[in-house]
Amino acid sequence: MPCLRWRSSYPWGVAGQAGKSAVRYAEQIHPQLPPMRLASRRGRLYTGPCPFCADGGEDRFHVWMEASGDRPAERFWCRVCNRGGLLRSLDQEERRS
């Protein structure tokens, strides 16, 4: 998976250093999704803009790459449009359109 760099928009930067912007890494986890940043190592949670919402947002689209409890791995969910499912269903949607 290729890693891309992006600058944090938070004003406090890294470790509370005001005025400095943090450099974080975004990963391309699926060919039909924009690069997403790792939000939590536990469960490998990634966040990024929603491909379904009109304005996309910045961190509303969540992708879990590992299974947790009875929930399967490689699932997605948007907290605004409430669309969710498995990443492989994105491939099926693309073929239908």
Side-chain angles (χ1 to χ4, degrees):
M1 289 185 231
C3 287
L4 307 169
R5 292 174 62 159
W6 64 285
R7 295 240 177 232
S8 171
S9 59
Y10 300 115
W12 54 84
V14 179
Q17 299 173 357
K20 295 184 179 180
S21 61
V23 176
R24 298 185 180 180
Y25 291 91
E27 293 184 36
Q28 187 70 42
I29 59 174
H30 192 274
Q32 294 166 352
L33 294 176
M36 303 185 77
R37 70 180 181 88
L38 183 64
S40 173
R41 290 185 199 144
R42 184 178 177 190
R44 290 184 40 216
L45 169 64
Y46 290 86
T47 61
C50 179
F52 307 112
C53 293
D55 61 350
E58 189 172 310
D59 64 347
R60 64 178 63 166
F61 193 74
H62 299 254
V63 176
W64 292 269
M65 297 302 287
E66 292 181 3
S68 64
D70 61 346
R71 296 180 176 160
E74 298 184 356
R75 65 188 189 281
F76 67 89
W77 171 67
C78 175
R79 61 185 168 88
V80 175
C81 69
N82 206 30
R83 201 157 176 188
L86 298 176
L87 284 181
R88 65 178 162 251
S89 68
L90 290 176
D91 295 330
Q92 295 167 355
E93 277 188 26
E94 182 67 24
R95 289 185 197 127
R96 277 187 243 153
S97 18

